[in-house]
Amino acid sequence: MPWDSIECHPTTRETIVSILSQGRFRGTFLLYGPPGAGQASVARAIAKSLVCQEREADFCGQCRLCKGVEEHTYADVFELYPWEDWSKPERKGQDYSVDHIREMQKQAQIQPYQGDHRIFILHEAHRLNLASANCLLKILEEPNTHTIFLLVTDNHASLLPTILSRCQKIRLAPLPIGGLSQRLAEDRPKDEAETLARAAGGLPEQAQYLIESDYLRRRDEIMEIVERVRKEESYIGEAVNGLAGKKDSLREIFKILLSLLRDGSLAASGMTGPYLNADRKNEIERIWSGDQAETIVAGFEKTLDAIEGLDRNLNPSLLLTDLFLALRAGG
């Protein structure tokens, strides 16, 4: 899997390959961006590029060294997670402990076994608490020439400014919707691929999560509920009872509904798109076409109110009832 196969923004890819080709991958790098932008995949690709002997400023993905990085058996590449504490394996904390970082420091002082570098990938680097962050800072202030640190995060603002100042920063931006859609269309119909790319906001790992969690099927179920609510007022109670117990997924349900309402506004106004749910354009037009814009706006606002209500721990049944009544007003 060479760099051309890594799903990240073309500008980001060009920047990384340029740094690799100039031999400037030294010290500490911060890989940051929104959740699902592919930070972990990019970090591993960098590690493979630094150890692979088959390609220059790239990696083959097939050699023993590349496979060693992928399978976590390469002796000089380490991946750290806050819940897998090297100092106390039984510890399952949410933050990196000071002892965890000290254990990493011990490994960083050892000369490489197989290559020129010892590479440390700190996943969820924002989970460094104050004590462990200060411990890491001491390591970064006096780095060994053979160590490379890759800090991976989707919340870089939580890192200490003093740590940020010692990092070379690589931002992973969302992919262009068209580019991600084209890649997803290799395995599914074009309209479905476009819907997934838009729902993921151009984030490749988020798109993969949506696929694995059967997003399109769940979206279709919500659309069926909305259509039936608008036709049958008596169905509201059944719909509320069916969804109120799914408290952990209600926020996601409401976000899906927002996308359907946004498309509904296009259908009601006679506009052609682009639809967020391109693969269900005909069904959306059937549900919303000819409706009053005020009804759809009211439904949109009620959905936003419902999301806010979840944050305030309001009764889910009441939130759903108010929302469905708003949708029903124009049905």
Side-chain angles (χ1 to χ4, degrees):
M1 290 180 62
W3 270 105
D4 285 346
S5 67
I6 298 298
E7 293 181 332
C8 64
H9 198 281
T11 302
T12 302
R13 183 185 296 109
E14 291 171 6
T15 298
I16 294 173
V17 171
S18 174
I19 295 173
L20 288 166
S21 63
Q22 296 174 42
R24 293 190 292 110
F25 238 105
R26 306 186 189 94
T28 306
F29 286 80
L30 176 69
L31 306 177
Y32 72 100
Q39 292 93 317
S41 298
V42 170
R44 293 189 188 102
I46 291 171
K48 292 175 186 176
S49 298
L50 290 169
V51 306
C52 182
Q53 298 177 359
E54 301 298 323
R55 300 190 182 187
E56 185 175 350
D58 204 343
F59 63 98
C60 67
Q62 301 299 320
C63 70
R64 176 178 57 85
L65 302 181
C66 285
K67 289 183 177 179
V69 174
E70 187 68 29
E71 297 169 0
H72 309 291
T73 58
Y74 185 85
D76 294 318
V77 175
F78 304 86
E79 296 197 39
L80 286 76
Y81 298 88
W83 51 84
E84 294 180 1
D85 197 321
W86 288 2
S87 63
K88 296 179 181 178
E90 70 278 4
R91 180 180 178 272
K92 301 297 180 183
Q94 294 301 308
D95 296 331
Y96 283 102
S97 70
V98 173
D99 289 338
H100 195 172
I101 301 303
R102 286 173 179 163
E103 287 293 324
M104 182 189 71
Q105 182 180 24
K106 292 178 183 177
Q107 290 293 333
Q109 292 171 345
I110 299 173
Q111 290 294 318
Y113 288 112
Q114 294 180 263
D116 298 326
H117 310 283
R118 301 211 99 190
I119 303 166
F120 298 85
I121 302 173
L122 277 73
H123 295 279
E124 302 204 25
H126 55 277
R127 295 188 181 275
L128 290 157
N129 57 37
L130 183 59
S132 58
N134 281 322
C135 184
L136 175 64
L137 184 60
K138 293 178 182 178
I139 302 171
L140 301 185
E141 287 174 340
E142 301 176 1
N144 293 307
T145 56
H146 62 263
T147 56
I148 295 174
F149 296 96
L150 303 176
L151 275 56
V152 175
T153 181
D154 55 34
N155 185 14
H156 72 289
S158 295
L159 291 171
L160 290 180
T162 45
I163 288 180
L164 292 174
S165 67
R166 285 165 173 77
C167 296
Q168 300 181 62
K169 301 174 182 64
I170 298 176
R171 177 177 177 268
L172 275 75
L175 297 176
I177 297 299
L180 180 56
S181 176
Q182 184 176 7
R183 205 281 296 168
L184 295 175
E186 296 173 2
D187 303 316
R188 56 190 42 81
K190 180 180 178 180
D191 285 347
E192 286 188 7
E194 182 180 343
T195 295
L196 288 166
R198 292 189 182 281
L203 301 171
E205 289 184 356
Q206 177 65 12
Q208 186 60 39
Y209 166 77
L210 294 178
I211 293 169
E212 293 173 355
S213 62
D214 210 1
Y215 172 85
L216 295 178
R217 179 188 58 79
R218 291 183 290 113
R219 185 276 318 268
D220 288 348
E221 291 175 350
I222 295 167
M223 190 162 57
E224 290 174 4
I225 290 173
V226 170
E227 183 171 19
R228 190 170 173 187
V229 162
R230 286 173 54 77
K231 291 179 178 179
E232 307 171 31
E233 186 172 359
S234 60
Y235 176 65
I236 291 179
E238 180 181 341
V240 168
N241 290 335
L243 294 177
K246 302 178 180 179
K247 192 171 182 179
D248 292 341
S249 59
L250 272 181
R251 185 181 304 275
E252 185 177 5
I253 289 172
F254 290 148
K255 288 182 178 179
I256 292 174
L257 182 55
L258 287 175
S259 76
L260 295 172
L261 285 163
R262 182 267 190 190
D263 288 348
S265 68
L266 295 180
S269 61
M271 298 177 66
T272 58
Y275 279 60
L276 296 178
N277 299 276
D279 60 317
R280 290 292 179 264
K281 182 175 182 292
N282 293 336
E283 291 85 344
I284 288 169
E285 290 178 348
R286 184 185 69 238
I287 296 172
W288 300 104
S289 184
D291 208 336
Q292 296 295 317
E294 291 80 1
T295 299
I296 299 175
V297 170
F300 200 93
E301 291 178 347
K302 276 293 182 182
T303 306
L304 293 175
D305 289 344
I307 293 174
E308 181 182 351
L310 290 178
D311 295 333
R312 296 163 54 196
N313 292 316
L314 298 184
N315 188 305
S317 294
L318 294 179
L319 295 174
L320 286 163
T321 300
D322 286 347
L323 173 56
F324 288 154
L325 286 173
L327 297 178
R328 172 68 190 161

